[in-house]
Amino acid sequence: MSDGTPADLFLGAAIGLLRRVREEEGEAVAAAGTLLADTVEAGGRLFAFGAGHSSLAAQDVVYRAGGLALMNLLAVPGVVGVDVNPAVLGSALERVDGLASAVLDSSPLRAGDALVIISLSGRNALPVEMALHARDLGIKVIGVTSVAYATETASRHSSGTFLKDHCDVVLDSKIAVGDAELTLDTVPAPFAPASTVVTSALMQSVLATAAATLADRGVEPPLLRSGNVDGGHAWNARIMEKYGDRIFYHR
């Protein structure tokens, strides 16, 4: 590791990853944003899913000031976050065959909707099966993953495939296998993960693209405003009433 404080080095690494994403994933971000805009304009609903820490980036775009009101969280009990006890149960559930199909079949998702699946490795049964089954149901799938895992690790799904193999659009976060940006001689393992920073930035870039694309088509983007600014609650109430049949987190 070169000279500099660990904080400086981590921020530099994160900035470097963000620059790579901006330079290399622009077309994919545009395609994903257009797909979401097309879905909204056609009357479809938007959903985001992530397991474990990948869920953080999914939660970040749901019921969010400045975000699209139509983005709903597809929650799988036990894998949404570290609130499950023991926390290792969430990791185990990601490897269970059949769970994703059961979740989708009991969810509000239907043909014509769009689902963003976030999985850093994209190798576990849950995200792979979710993408496969969603497309079988006529749902458009956007995958947010690190493509490096597909060449440096083995799939844990019976098909031998990865999330990236079953998506309409793939966004590559460029995160290295292991998700740790720093090493020190005095620290026994690599540390300082950057996947949340980069994945959240990718998600917000996609939603910004979707909102701008809708506006360019003459469609008012269904955006939420902060409840901490004057008029925010009234604005959000109007959006919720207009799009209530496509918003599931307030029922």
Side-chain angles (χ1 to χ4, degrees):
M1 195 166 70
S2 59
D3 293 337
T5 68
D8 288 340
L9 292 167
F10 174 75
L11 291 171
I15 290 168
L17 286 164
L18 290 171
R19 283 176 174 156
R20 280 194 65 194
V21 165
R22 181 177 63 183
E23 293 167 1
E24 300 173 20
E25 295 301 300
E27 290 186 9
V29 168
T34 300
L35 189 157
L36 294 187
D38 290 345
T39 302
V40 172
E41 193 171 13
R45 294 87 58 80
L46 311 180
F47 293 82
F49 164 78
H53 286 93
S54 290
S55 179
L56 295 174
Q59 294 179 58
D60 188 50
V61 295
V62 176
Y63 189 50
R64 180 66 188 262
L68 289 176
L70 304 193
M71 185 60 76
N72 300 280
L73 183 67
L74 178 62
V76 177
V79 306
V80 174
V82 294
D83 57 330
V84 63
N85 191 2
V88 293
L89 174 61
S91 299
L93 289 173
E94 289 186 65
R95 300 191 290 272
V96 174
D97 290 333
L99 179 57
S101 294
V103 168
L104 283 173
D105 289 343
S106 61
S107 78
L109 275 150
R110 65 191 183 193
D113 291 345
L115 172 61
V116 183
I117 301 175
I118 304 168
S119 173
L120 178 61
S121 73
R123 68 188 297 223
N124 287 310
L126 185 58
V128 176
E129 181 185 324
M130 185 168 288
L132 275 165
H133 193 49
R135 295 182 85 187
D136 286 343
L137 296 174
I139 298 161
K140 295 293 186 181
V141 175
I142 297 169
V144 186
T145 187
S146 170
V147 173
Y149 278 83
T151 58
E152 299 181 38
T153 69
S155 170
R156 288 176 173 153
H157 186 257
S158 57
S159 67
T161 61
F162 288 76
L163 169 62
K164 74 174 187 63
D165 300 316
H166 308 288
C167 300
D168 296 281
V169 181
V170 176
L171 301 174
D172 183 4
S173 64
K174 316 296 182 182
I175 299 295
V177 173
D179 193 15
E181 294 299 319
L182 303 185
T183 58
L184 275 176
D185 292 341
T186 55
V187 179
F191 62 107
S195 59
T196 303
V197 174
V198 179
T199 304
S200 291
L202 273 169
M203 291 294 292
Q204 294 296 348
S205 298
V206 168
L207 266 64
T209 301
T213 300
L214 287 167
D216 288 343
R217 296 174 180 177
V219 178
E220 179 188 351
L223 296 168
L224 294 172
R225 303 190 71 174
S226 172
N228 295 313
V229 300
D230 292 342
H233 288 302
W235 174 283
N236 292 341
R238 176 179 68 85
I239 295 295
M240 297 267 187
E241 181 177 1
K242 182 176 181 180
Y243 294 98
D245 61 331
R246 292 194 260 174
I247 299 173
F248 298 91
Y249 50 79
H250 74 306
R251 295 182 182 180

